[in-house]
Amino acid sequence: MIRISDDGAVRTIILDRPEVRNALNLEMLRALRAALRAADTAAVRCLVLTGSGKAFCAGADIAEWADAEARGELATYPWTDEMHALIAELAAFPKPSLVLLNGAAAGAGLDLALACDFRFAAETARFVCAYTRMGYNPDAGGTWFLPRLIGLEAAKRFAFTGEFWSASEALARGLVTEVHAAEALEPAGRSFAAQLAAGPTVALMQTKRLMAEAGNRGLPDQLAEERRAADICGASADAKEALAAAVERREPNFKGH
């Protein structure tokens, strides 16, 4: 269902069901959740997610849903519980995360990409919210992520109409971070992931957490939390290395702790 590879401190998880455009069935969801837990170690300083074949992810495995309905088991089918847990765990992954959108991302497959910190897309990739085309509302985090990324009105249009966006349209509207030629996507993504993995990991983790939590606090409380986070960063070896590098007029060599 998935493949995992490491390049230094960068862990890559590859969706590997190309024959069904990497559609998400229960087995894959559980494998992805296990892979996320395994990636939450000191050795991994950046997480990359991508797909095999021509698509990133077509969304839910409709054939598996249909089988559950045919068996009269749709009411107890645990796909949504597993998908919701995966989205929450990916969004809360403490290190920087990047998705390389090698092809189409639809429905829950798009939501999976939205839960990452950054989205690099091949210029041939296409995006669709897809849910309303099937008579459903978005139910894997899209109604939370989309308005925050592209604004409320654009999110409504994207979801209500089920229209397809090209990679260039997605870039213009803020859905993706960068667009590259198909053959240049992986090198560009690898370079950016290596840059993130070589950074001051404690500081990046605290910054990611602070930004994720900021909407739940007023400014005075956020300032207080920033001070607490800064104390954690200040005690890190990377902060001490940055200070030494500044005094010695050299580039810092961060170790991620």
PDB file of all heavy atoms in Angstrom, residues 176-207:
ATOM      1  N   VAL A 176      -1.623  25.727  -3.829  1.00  0.00           N
ATOM      2  CA  VAL A 176      -0.323  25.076  -3.799  1.00  0.00           C
ATOM      3  C   VAL A 176       0.773  26.116  -3.622  1.00  0.00           C
ATOM      4  O   VAL A 176       0.572  27.305  -3.869  1.00  0.00           O
ATOM      5  CB  VAL A 176      -0.065  24.230  -5.076  1.00  0.00           C
ATOM      6  CG1 VAL A 176      -1.121  23.152  -5.221  1.00  0.00           C
ATOM      7  CG2 VAL A 176       0.003  25.096  -6.328  1.00  0.00           C
ATOM      8  N   THR A 177       1.938  25.651  -3.204  1.00  0.00           N
ATOM      9  CA  THR A 177       3.058  26.532  -2.875  1.00  0.00           C
ATOM     10  C   THR A 177       3.903  26.859  -4.090  1.00  0.00           C
ATOM     11  O   THR A 177       4.296  28.011  -4.307  1.00  0.00           O
ATOM     12  CB  THR A 177       3.948  25.861  -1.809  1.00  0.00           C
ATOM     13  OG1 THR A 177       3.138  25.344  -0.756  1.00  0.00           O
ATOM     14  CG2 THR A 177       4.957  26.843  -1.238  1.00  0.00           C
ATOM     15  N   GLU A 178       4.222  25.825  -4.881  1.00  0.00           N
ATOM     16  CA  GLU A 178       5.035  25.990  -6.080  1.00  0.00           C
ATOM     17  C   GLU A 178       4.552  25.019  -7.141  1.00  0.00           C
ATOM     18  O   GLU A 178       3.995  23.959  -6.822  1.00  0.00           O
ATOM     19  CB  GLU A 178       6.524  25.713  -5.791  1.00  0.00           C
ATOM     20  CG  GLU A 178       7.199  26.711  -4.877  1.00  0.00           C
ATOM     21  CD  GLU A 178       8.697  26.442  -4.717  1.00  0.00           C
ATOM     22  OE1 GLU A 178       9.248  25.613  -5.486  1.00  0.00           O
ATOM     23  OE2 GLU A 178       9.304  27.054  -3.827  1.00  0.00           O
ATOM     24  N   VAL A 179       4.808  25.355  -8.412  1.00  0.00           N
ATOM     25  CA  VAL A 179       4.521  24.468  -9.539  1.00  0.00           C
ATOM     26  C   VAL A 179       5.805  24.283 -10.340  1.00  0.00           C
ATOM     27  O   VAL A 179       6.536  25.258 -10.594  1.00  0.00           O
ATOM     28  CB  VAL A 179       3.413  25.041 -10.444  1.00  0.00           C
ATOM     29  CG1 VAL A 179       3.258  24.211 -11.713  1.00  0.00           C
ATOM     30  CG2 VAL A 179       2.092  25.094  -9.690  1.00  0.00           C
ATOM     31  N   HIS A 180       6.060  23.032 -10.736  1.00  0.00           N
ATOM     32  CA  HIS A 180       7.272  22.708 -11.494  1.00  0.00           C
ATOM     33  C   HIS A 180       6.927  21.801 -12.663  1.00  0.00           C
ATOM     34  O   HIS A 180       5.912  21.082 -12.619  1.00  0.00           O
ATOM     35  CB  HIS A 180       8.289  22.002 -10.589  1.00  0.00           C
ATOM     36  CG  HIS A 180       8.772  22.850  -9.451  1.00  0.00           C
ATOM     37  ND1 HIS A 180       9.842  23.699  -9.572  1.00  0.00           N
ATOM     38  CD2 HIS A 180       8.311  22.994  -8.181  1.00  0.00           C
ATOM     39  CE1 HIS A 180      10.025  24.335  -8.408  1.00  0.00           C
ATOM     40  NE2 HIS A 180       9.115  23.913  -7.555  1.00  0.00           N
ATOM     41  N   ALA A 181       7.762  21.814 -13.675  1.00  0.00           N
ATOM     42  CA  ALA A 181       7.637  20.822 -14.736  1.00  0.00           C
ATOM     43  C   ALA A 181       7.700  19.437 -14.106  1.00  0.00           C
ATOM     44  O   ALA A 181       8.359  19.231 -13.069  1.00  0.00           O
ATOM     45  CB  ALA A 181       8.758  21.004 -15.760  1.00  0.00           C
ATOM     46  N   ALA A 182       7.008  18.478 -14.718  1.00  0.00           N
ATOM     47  CA  ALA A 182       6.897  17.150 -14.108  1.00  0.00           C
ATOM     48  C   ALA A 182       8.253  16.552 -13.765  1.00  0.00           C
ATOM     49  O   ALA A 182       8.440  15.987 -12.677  1.00  0.00           O
ATOM     50  CB  ALA A 182       6.122  16.223 -15.052  1.00  0.00           C
ATOM     51  N   GLU A 183       9.214  16.714 -14.669  1.00  0.00           N
ATOM     52  CA  GLU A 183      10.531  16.116 -14.434  1.00  0.00           C
ATOM     53  C   GLU A 183      11.338  16.878 -13.387  1.00  0.00           C
ATOM     54  O   GLU A 183      12.313  16.352 -12.833  1.00  0.00           O
ATOM     55  CB  GLU A 183      11.328  16.034 -15.744  1.00  0.00           C
ATOM     56  CG  GLU A 183      11.705  17.368 -16.359  1.00  0.00           C
ATOM     57  CD  GLU A 183      10.621  17.968 -17.226  1.00  0.00           C
ATOM     58  OE1 GLU A 183       9.474  17.461 -17.229  1.00  0.00           O
ATOM     59  OE2 GLU A 183      10.926  18.969 -17.921  1.00  0.00           O
ATOM     60  N   ALA A 184      10.928  18.113 -13.086  1.00  0.00           N
ATOM     61  CA  ALA A 184      11.659  18.925 -12.116  1.00  0.00           C
ATOM     62  C   ALA A 184      11.026  18.896 -10.726  1.00  0.00           C
ATOM     63  O   ALA A 184      11.612  19.418  -9.770  1.00  0.00           O
ATOM     64  CB  ALA A 184      11.740  20.373 -12.599  1.00  0.00           C
ATOM     65  N   LEU A 185       9.832  18.275 -10.609  1.00  0.00           N
ATOM     66  CA  LEU A 185       9.121  18.302  -9.330  1.00  0.00           C
ATOM     67  C   LEU A 185       9.921  17.628  -8.225  1.00  0.00           C
ATOM     68  O   LEU A 185      10.120  18.211  -7.150  1.00  0.00           O
ATOM     69  CB  LEU A 185       7.757  17.620  -9.467  1.00  0.00           C
ATOM     70  CG  LEU A 185       6.953  17.481  -8.167  1.00  0.00           C
ATOM     71  CD1 LEU A 185       6.591  18.851  -7.615  1.00  0.00           C
ATOM     72  CD2 LEU A 185       5.702  16.636  -8.404  1.00  0.00           C
ATOM     73  N   GLU A 186      10.362  16.416  -8.451  1.00  0.00           N
ATOM     74  CA  GLU A 186      11.068  15.690  -7.388  1.00  0.00           C
ATOM     75  C   GLU A 186      12.366  16.380  -6.995  1.00  0.00           C
ATOM     76  O   GLU A 186      12.616  16.564  -5.795  1.00  0.00           O
ATOM     77  CB  GLU A 186      11.322  14.241  -7.794  1.00  0.00           C
ATOM     78  CG  GLU A 186      11.949  13.434  -6.673  1.00  0.00           C
ATOM     79  CD  GLU A 186      12.021  11.948  -6.978  1.00  0.00           C
ATOM     80  OE1 GLU A 186      11.384  11.493  -7.936  1.00  0.00           O
ATOM     81  OE2 GLU A 186      12.732  11.238  -6.233  1.00  0.00           O
ATOM     82  N   PRO A 187      13.236  16.803  -7.952  1.00  0.00           N
ATOM     83  CA  PRO A 187      14.445  17.521  -7.521  1.00  0.00           C
ATOM     84  C   PRO A 187      14.146  18.788  -6.725  1.00  0.00           C
ATOM     85  O   PRO A 187      14.819  19.068  -5.731  1.00  0.00           O
ATOM     86  CB  PRO A 187      15.140  17.842  -8.850  1.00  0.00           C
ATOM     87  CG  PRO A 187      14.667  16.807  -9.805  1.00  0.00           C
ATOM     88  CD  PRO A 187      13.242  16.535  -9.402  1.00  0.00           C
ATOM     89  N   ALA A 188      13.123  19.545  -7.145  1.00  0.00           N
ATOM     90  CA  ALA A 188      12.781  20.765  -6.417  1.00  0.00           C
ATOM     91  C   ALA A 188      12.288  20.427  -5.012  1.00  0.00           C
ATOM     92  O   ALA A 188      12.652  21.095  -4.033  1.00  0.00           O
ATOM     93  CB  ALA A 188      11.720  21.554  -7.179  1.00  0.00           C
ATOM     94  N   GLY A 189      11.449  19.405  -4.911  1.00  0.00           N
ATOM     95  CA  GLY A 189      10.940  19.000  -3.612  1.00  0.00           C
ATOM     96  C   GLY A 189      12.031  18.468  -2.708  1.00  0.00           C
ATOM     97  O   GLY A 189      12.072  18.786  -1.502  1.00  0.00           O
ATOM     98  N   ARG A 190      12.917  17.660  -3.274  1.00  0.00           N
ATOM     99  CA  ARG A 190      14.014  17.114  -2.471  1.00  0.00           C
ATOM    100  C   ARG A 190      14.909  18.225  -1.950  1.00  0.00           C
ATOM    101  O   ARG A 190      15.373  18.178  -0.802  1.00  0.00           O
ATOM    102  CB  ARG A 190      14.834  16.128  -3.298  1.00  0.00           C
ATOM    103  CG  ARG A 190      14.083  14.935  -3.816  1.00  0.00           C
ATOM    104  CD  ARG A 190      13.619  14.026  -2.709  1.00  0.00           C
ATOM    105  NE  ARG A 190      12.828  12.916  -3.217  1.00  0.00           N
ATOM    106  CZ  ARG A 190      12.066  12.142  -2.478  1.00  0.00           C
ATOM    107  NH1 ARG A 190      11.980  12.348  -1.176  1.00  0.00           N
ATOM    108  NH2 ARG A 190      11.365  11.152  -3.011  1.00  0.00           N
ATOM    109  N   SER A 191      15.172  19.214  -2.792  1.00  0.00           N
ATOM    110  CA  SER A 191      16.034  20.318  -2.368  1.00  0.00           C
ATOM    111  C   SER A 191      15.394  21.105  -1.224  1.00  0.00           C
ATOM    112  O   SER A 191      16.052  21.443  -0.232  1.00  0.00           O
ATOM    113  CB  SER A 191      16.297  21.239  -3.558  1.00  0.00           C
ATOM    114  OG  SER A 191      17.053  22.363  -3.170  1.00  0.00           O
ATOM    115  N   PHE A 192      14.101  21.386  -1.352  1.00  0.00           N
ATOM    116  CA  PHE A 192      13.411  22.133  -0.301  1.00  0.00           C
ATOM    117  C   PHE A 192      13.321  21.316   0.987  1.00  0.00           C
ATOM    118  O   PHE A 192      13.529  21.840   2.090  1.00  0.00           O
ATOM    119  CB  PHE A 192      12.015  22.528  -0.783  1.00  0.00           C
ATOM    120  CG  PHE A 192      11.274  23.429   0.158  1.00  0.00           C
ATOM    121  CD1 PHE A 192      11.768  24.669   0.507  1.00  0.00           C
ATOM    122  CD2 PHE A 192      10.061  23.034   0.697  1.00  0.00           C
ATOM    123  CE1 PHE A 192      11.083  25.510   1.374  1.00  0.00           C
ATOM    124  CE2 PHE A 192       9.361  23.861   1.568  1.00  0.00           C
ATOM    125  CZ  PHE A 192       9.876  25.108   1.907  1.00  0.00           C
ATOM    126  N   ALA A 193      13.023  20.021   0.863  1.00  0.00           N
ATOM    127  CA  ALA A 193      12.953  19.163   2.050  1.00  0.00           C
ATOM    128  C   ALA A 193      14.299  19.091   2.753  1.00  0.00           C
ATOM    129  O   ALA A 193      14.369  19.121   3.989  1.00  0.00           O
ATOM    130  CB  ALA A 193      12.485  17.765   1.651  1.00  0.00           C
ATOM    131  N   ALA A 194      15.391  19.006   1.977  1.00  0.00           N
ATOM    132  CA  ALA A 194      16.724  18.972   2.577  1.00  0.00           C
ATOM    133  C   ALA A 194      17.021  20.277   3.309  1.00  0.00           C
ATOM    134  O   ALA A 194      17.638  20.272   4.383  1.00  0.00           O
ATOM    135  CB  ALA A 194      17.772  18.716   1.492  1.00  0.00           C
ATOM    136  N   GLN A 195      16.563  21.402   2.738  1.00  0.00           N
ATOM    137  CA  GLN A 195      16.739  22.692   3.404  1.00  0.00           C
ATOM    138  C   GLN A 195      16.009  22.719   4.740  1.00  0.00           C
ATOM    139  O   GLN A 195      16.559  23.169   5.765  1.00  0.00           O
ATOM    140  CB  GLN A 195      16.223  23.813   2.498  1.00  0.00           C
ATOM    141  CG  GLN A 195      16.288  25.204   3.113  1.00  0.00           C
ATOM    142  CD  GLN A 195      15.639  26.256   2.227  1.00  0.00           C
ATOM    143  OE1 GLN A 195      15.415  26.030   1.049  1.00  0.00           O
ATOM    144  NE2 GLN A 195      15.346  27.407   2.799  1.00  0.00           N
ATOM    145  N   LEU A 196      14.765  22.231   4.758  1.00  0.00           N
ATOM    146  CA  LEU A 196      14.006  22.195   6.004  1.00  0.00           C
ATOM    147  C   LEU A 196      14.645  21.251   7.017  1.00  0.00           C
ATOM    148  O   LEU A 196      14.721  21.563   8.212  1.00  0.00           O
ATOM    149  CB  LEU A 196      12.572  21.754   5.715  1.00  0.00           C
ATOM    150  CG  LEU A 196      11.717  22.710   4.885  1.00  0.00           C
ATOM    151  CD1 LEU A 196      10.384  22.049   4.526  1.00  0.00           C
ATOM    152  CD2 LEU A 196      11.477  24.022   5.622  1.00  0.00           C
ATOM    153  N   ALA A 197      15.103  20.094   6.535  1.00  0.00           N
ATOM    154  CA  ALA A 197      15.698  19.107   7.442  1.00  0.00           C
ATOM    155  C   ALA A 197      17.016  19.595   8.035  1.00  0.00           C
ATOM    156  O   ALA A 197      17.410  19.154   9.122  1.00  0.00           O
ATOM    157  CB  ALA A 197      15.920  17.790   6.699  1.00  0.00           C
ATOM    158  N   ALA A 198      17.687  20.503   7.341  1.00  0.00           N
ATOM    159  CA  ALA A 198      18.959  21.032   7.838  1.00  0.00           C
ATOM    160  C   ALA A 198      18.763  22.232   8.750  1.00  0.00           C
ATOM    161  O   ALA A 198      19.734  22.779   9.281  1.00  0.00           O
ATOM    162  CB  ALA A 198      19.856  21.427   6.665  1.00  0.00           C
ATOM    163  N   GLY A 199      17.539  22.638   8.961  1.00  0.00           N
ATOM    164  CA  GLY A 199      17.265  23.816   9.778  1.00  0.00           C
ATOM    165  C   GLY A 199      17.281  23.526  11.267  1.00  0.00           C
ATOM    166  O   GLY A 199      17.485  22.391  11.700  1.00  0.00           O
ATOM    167  N   PRO A 200      17.027  24.551  12.073  1.00  0.00           N
ATOM    168  CA  PRO A 200      16.979  24.395  13.542  1.00  0.00           C
ATOM    169  C   PRO A 200      15.650  23.750  13.941  1.00  0.00           C
ATOM    170  O   PRO A 200      14.657  24.439  14.159  1.00  0.00           O
ATOM    171  CB  PRO A 200      17.102  25.830  14.053  1.00  0.00           C
ATOM    172  CG  PRO A 200      16.505  26.660  12.952  1.00  0.00           C
ATOM    173  CD  PRO A 200      16.814  25.954  11.665  1.00  0.00           C
ATOM    174  N   THR A 201      15.627  22.445  14.038  1.00  0.00           N
ATOM    175  CA  THR A 201      14.385  21.683  14.145  1.00  0.00           C
ATOM    176  C   THR A 201      13.535  22.097  15.342  1.00  0.00           C
ATOM    177  O   THR A 201      12.301  22.176  15.234  1.00  0.00           O
ATOM    178  CB  THR A 201      14.706  20.179  14.211  1.00  0.00           C
ATOM    179  OG1 THR A 201      15.494  19.831  13.062  1.00  0.00           O
ATOM    180  CG2 THR A 201      13.436  19.353  14.207  1.00  0.00           C
ATOM    181  N   VAL A 202      14.142  22.345  16.468  1.00  0.00           N
ATOM    182  CA  VAL A 202      13.373  22.750  17.649  1.00  0.00           C
ATOM    183  C   VAL A 202      12.630  24.048  17.371  1.00  0.00           C
ATOM    184  O   VAL A 202      11.441  24.191  17.677  1.00  0.00           O
ATOM    185  CB  VAL A 202      14.281  22.892  18.885  1.00  0.00           C
ATOM    186  CG1 VAL A 202      13.493  23.420  20.077  1.00  0.00           C
ATOM    187  CG2 VAL A 202      14.920  21.546  19.230  1.00  0.00           C
ATOM    188  N   ALA A 203      13.300  25.002  16.752  1.00  0.00           N
ATOM    189  CA  ALA A 203      12.675  26.285  16.438  1.00  0.00           C
ATOM    190  C   ALA A 203      11.558  26.115  15.413  1.00  0.00           C
ATOM    191  O   ALA A 203      10.497  26.754  15.519  1.00  0.00           O
ATOM    192  CB  ALA A 203      13.725  27.258  15.917  1.00  0.00           C
ATOM    193  N   LEU A 204      11.770  25.264  14.421  1.00  0.00           N
ATOM    194  CA  LEU A 204      10.730  25.023  13.415  1.00  0.00           C
ATOM    195  C   LEU A 204       9.513  24.359  14.044  1.00  0.00           C
ATOM    196  O   LEU A 204       8.363  24.700  13.729  1.00  0.00           O
ATOM    197  CB  LEU A 204      11.274  24.164  12.281  1.00  0.00           C
ATOM    198  CG  LEU A 204      12.453  24.726  11.485  1.00  0.00           C
ATOM    199  CD1 LEU A 204      12.760  23.833  10.285  1.00  0.00           C
ATOM    200  CD2 LEU A 204      12.208  26.157  11.025  1.00  0.00           C
ATOM    201  N   MET A 205       9.747  23.401  14.925  1.00  0.00           N
ATOM    202  CA  MET A 205       8.639  22.726  15.597  1.00  0.00           C
ATOM    203  C   MET A 205       7.829  23.701  16.446  1.00  0.00           C
ATOM    204  O   MET A 205       6.592  23.687  16.424  1.00  0.00           O
ATOM    205  CB  MET A 205       9.173  21.583  16.462  1.00  0.00           C
ATOM    206  CG  MET A 205       9.733  20.408  15.684  1.00  0.00           C
ATOM    207  SD  MET A 205      10.589  19.213  16.749  1.00  0.00           S
ATOM    208  CE  MET A 205       9.258  18.634  17.788  1.00  0.00           C
ATOM    209  N   GLN A 206       8.514  24.539  17.198  1.00  0.00           N
ATOM    210  CA  GLN A 206       7.808  25.490  18.051  1.00  0.00           C
ATOM    211  C   GLN A 206       7.048  26.517  17.203  1.00  0.00           C
ATOM    212  O   GLN A 206       5.914  26.896  17.530  1.00  0.00           O
ATOM    213  CB  GLN A 206       8.786  26.183  18.998  1.00  0.00           C
ATOM    214  CG  GLN A 206       9.368  25.278  20.066  1.00  0.00           C
ATOM    215  CD  GLN A 206       8.298  24.688  20.973  1.00  0.00           C
ATOM    216  OE1 GLN A 206       7.326  25.353  21.325  1.00  0.00           O
ATOM    217  NE2 GLN A 206       8.466  23.427  21.345  1.00  0.00           N
ATOM    218  N   THR A 207       7.646  26.953  16.100  1.00  0.00           N
ATOM    219  CA  THR A 207       6.980  27.910  15.220  1.00  0.00           C
ATOM    220  C   THR A 207       5.737  27.292  14.596  1.00  0.00           C
ATOM    221  O   THR A 207       4.673  27.942  14.525  1.00  0.00           O
ATOM    222  CB  THR A 207       7.953  28.381  14.125  1.00  0.00           C
ATOM    223  OG1 THR A 207       9.105  28.961  14.732  1.00  0.00           O
ATOM    224  CG2 THR A 207       7.292  29.406  13.220  1.00  0.00           C
TER     225      THR A 207
END
